[in-house]
Amino acid sequence: MGRQPCCDKVGLKKGPWTAEEDQKLITFILNNGHCCWRAVPKLAGLLRCGKSCRLRWTNYLRPDLKRGVLSDSEEQLIIDLHAHLGNRWSKIASHLPGRTDNEIKNYWNTHIKKKLKRMGIDPVTHRSISDQVPDMNYHSAESKTFPTVLGMPNTEDYLAPKLDLNPYNKKEMVRINNNNDDAAKEASSRSNESELTEEEKSVDSVKEAGQLSASEGYGVELLPAAEAHNFENFVGTSPSLDFFSGNSPLFHQQGSPLLRVPDEEGLLEFSNDIIDCANIQDPTSSELMKDEYTVNSCLSSFDYNREIQTPICSTAAEIQWTQEMLVTESLLPTPETSMQESLWQHDSDDAFPGWDGDILDHDINIANCCFSSAFY
DNA sequence: AATCTAATCAACCGCCTTACG
DNA sequence: TCGTAAGGCGGTTGATTAGAT
């Protein structure tokens, strides 16, 4: 048994719409709106199913549609958005006024895909086809697979001038705010895992977790502590960062050793010692939280997130934390929020929105950029 | 001119999500 | 909490058109 058809199709017309049908639908919707698509065909005198009417209206008859060939800038925007959103055509379409998801999908399949292939770029991964070997060490200086987002300025352009990509090298990933840094470094210099102590393995697993989470889109890239502490050095950054920051810093570095998050009853404070990178791949993990319920509440509410205006960051752990919250989506005000929504998958019902899909390496970097820019 | 092939895009299909009783 | 209906989405189909032979 298959699924029941969306409506009784006996006697209903299929195939291309006639001008007369179009006119009936337009007239009806302009006069009455469409409270219920299923009722529309009956009321409009059409022998079509409601679904068909909706499709015809949204993809073809809507008065706000922009017909005609997509411009170069629209095409570029589609490529950029696709790099971050994948085949989420409706999401992509929402960034192109007057264009429909169907139109963009068709355009992608018939034009852009071929164009990218001709350019030697995989239209799925947006990476060079010759560099398709998975490389977990994607930030290493040796890596040639640093992702390029078409149409976007090179990701490095977003980075603050003194932010060297090399520190993101897996080997240099350190447990944030943890005094096992030395052990970690020493351990990572050894290749044979059997040589590692339990503590070292633990540190290594943290790094593994960071890498895994980054590649699977469920966490954040571990921020090298040394670099994180150096954010103050980035003051006076490149103008391109204004693209994200809008010159309205949300975060301020001060001397506080605590991460402070506004709570319904005041200000929640998280001391460094409870922020354990071991759990960083799952930001909702209870071990990461001083008060799991409260923090989860903070993070799960879109509206409430908006009220988190000025977390105060000074340590790597705090910055890491802030970064996580920033990329959950709502911390950036419009228009940054809309930009961020184009970069991050948004599901406001998710306890940790923005982490619900495959997030690519460059997403992580752009998040870092958003995050960094928010400091200026 | 006829035929074949490729390209295009409107429309359909079926699954998933959401709203509601 | 569950079931159902409706809307929405992404993949696919197929009719039409354009270009090549």
Side-chain angles (χ1 to χ4, degrees):
Chain A
M1 279 291 285
R3 184 188 169 89
Q4 292 267 344
C6 67
C7 48
D8 181 6
K9 290 182 175 170
V10 178
L12 294 186
K13 193 167 175 249
K14 285 174 71 173
W17 281 62
T18 64
E20 189 189 355
E21 287 178 308
D22 283 347
Q23 197 51 55
K24 279 184 179 176
L25 186 58
I26 291 169
T27 304
F28 177 81
I29 292 180
L30 290 181
N31 290 333
N32 306 285
H34 56 82
C35 61
C36 170
W37 281 112
R38 179 170 277 205
V40 166
K42 276 184 184 174
L43 298 170
L46 290 162
L47 288 171
R48 298 272 182 175
C49 74
K51 211 169 180 174
S52 181
C53 291
R54 180 177 61 81
L55 219 59
R56 183 66 181 169
W57 175 258
T58 55
N59 286 342
Y60 203 81
L61 301 176
R62 250 168 50 199
D64 59 327
L65 285 181
K66 193 195 288 180
R67 308 300 304 181
V69 181
L70 280 85
S71 67
D72 287 347
S73 58
E74 284 177 312
E75 180 179 315
Q76 198 54 66
L77 183 56
I78 291 169
I79 294 170
D80 295 342
L81 291 168
H82 187 273
H84 296 284
L85 297 169
N87 293 359
R88 295 179 153 187
W89 306 115
S90 63
K91 292 266 185 195
I92 292 171
S94 68
H95 293 273
L96 288 104
R99 302 294 185 183
T100 70
D101 55 353
N102 207 36
E103 187 179 13
I104 291 168
K105 180 172 58 183
N106 283 333
Y107 191 76
W108 176 268
N109 287 326
T110 58
H111 292 93
I112 300 177
K113 236 171 155 177
K114 291 172 192 168
K115 188 176 176 182
L116 292 180
K117 281 179 182 171
R118 277 199 305 272
M119 293 164 67
I121 293 162
D122 184 337
V124 177
T125 62
H126 291 257
R127 293 186 186 195
S128 168
I129 289 168
S130 59
D131 283 344
Q132 289 296 300
V133 181
D135 183 359
M136 292 297 287
N137 206 19
Y138 59 91
H139 278 137
S140 71
E142 298 78 18
S143 172
K144 303 299 181 199
T145 60
F146 194 84
T148 297
V149 183
L150 285 167
M152 300 284 272
N154 187 309
T155 312
E156 292 177 54
D157 292 345
Y158 292 139
L159 298 178
K162 293 190 179 181
L163 180 55
D164 182 358
L165 286 173
N166 291 342
Y168 288 92
N169 187 326
K170 183 182 175 185
K171 294 283 182 194
E172 295 301 323
M173 296 267 180
V174 295
R175 188 173 198 155
I176 293 171
N177 228 12
N178 187 299
N179 42 17
N180 291 332
D181 288 0
D182 290 340
K185 284 173 186 168
E186 192 190 339
S188 62
S189 68
R190 277 178 270 153
S191 57
N192 188 343
E193 196 180 337
S194 62
E195 293 177 34
L196 306 182
T197 66
E198 286 305 309
E199 185 179 36
E200 288 166 346
K201 284 178 184 174
S202 166
V203 173
D204 210 43
S205 71
V206 170
K207 293 188 285 183
E208 290 290 338
Q211 288 294 317
L212 183 66
S213 63
S215 63
E216 295 199 339
Y218 193 63
V220 294
E221 181 176 16
L222 301 187
L223 192 68
E227 287 296 337
H229 279 298
N230 281 336
F231 269 109
E232 62 194 41
N233 293 333
F234 300 153
V235 172
T237 181
S238 77
S240 64
L241 291 168
D242 292 341
F243 181 63
F244 286 118
S245 70
N247 291 316
S248 56
L250 293 171
F251 302 92
H252 305 285
Q253 289 189 80
Q254 291 182 8
S256 168
L258 301 172
L259 170 63
R260 293 171 179 161
V261 179
D263 176 37
E264 286 157 347
E265 297 175 3
L267 200 63
L268 270 180
E269 294 188 339
F270 300 90
S271 61
N272 299 333
D273 57 358
I274 59 100
I275 299 175
D276 182 352
C277 240
N279 299 301
I280 211 79
Q281 75 276 18
D282 180 358
T284 61
S285 165
S286 60
E287 289 182 48
L288 191 61
M289 311 299 179
K290 188 174 188 178
D291 177 341
E292 180 186 17
Y293 174 78
T294 308
V295 176
N296 278 337
S297 298
C298 289
L299 295 175
S300 64
S301 163
F302 179 88
D303 290 329
Y304 191 69
N305 269 356
R306 285 194 176 284
E307 294 172 14
I308 302 176
Q309 292 294 328
T310 313
I312 300 166
C313 307
S314 65
T315 70
E318 291 166 12
I319 289 168
Q320 179 69 56
W321 239 103
T322 310
Q323 182 181 24
E324 289 169 19
M325 291 190 292
L326 181 67
V327 299
T328 63
E329 65 166 23
S330 53
L331 288 173
L332 292 175
T334 46
E336 287 79 7
T337 300
S338 60
M339 169 52 67
Q340 195 179 22
E341 283 173 350
S342 77
L343 299 176
W344 295 89
Q345 297 150 15
H346 164 220
D347 181 355
S348 59
D349 287 341
D350 192 333
F352 215 74
W355 299 102
D356 62 340
D358 296 325
I359 292 180
L360 305 176
D361 299 340
H362 53 248
D363 292 317
I364 301 297
N365 279 306
I366 289 169
N368 284 333
C369 299
C370 290
F371 163 67
S372 301
S373 66
F375 278 83
Y376 308 123

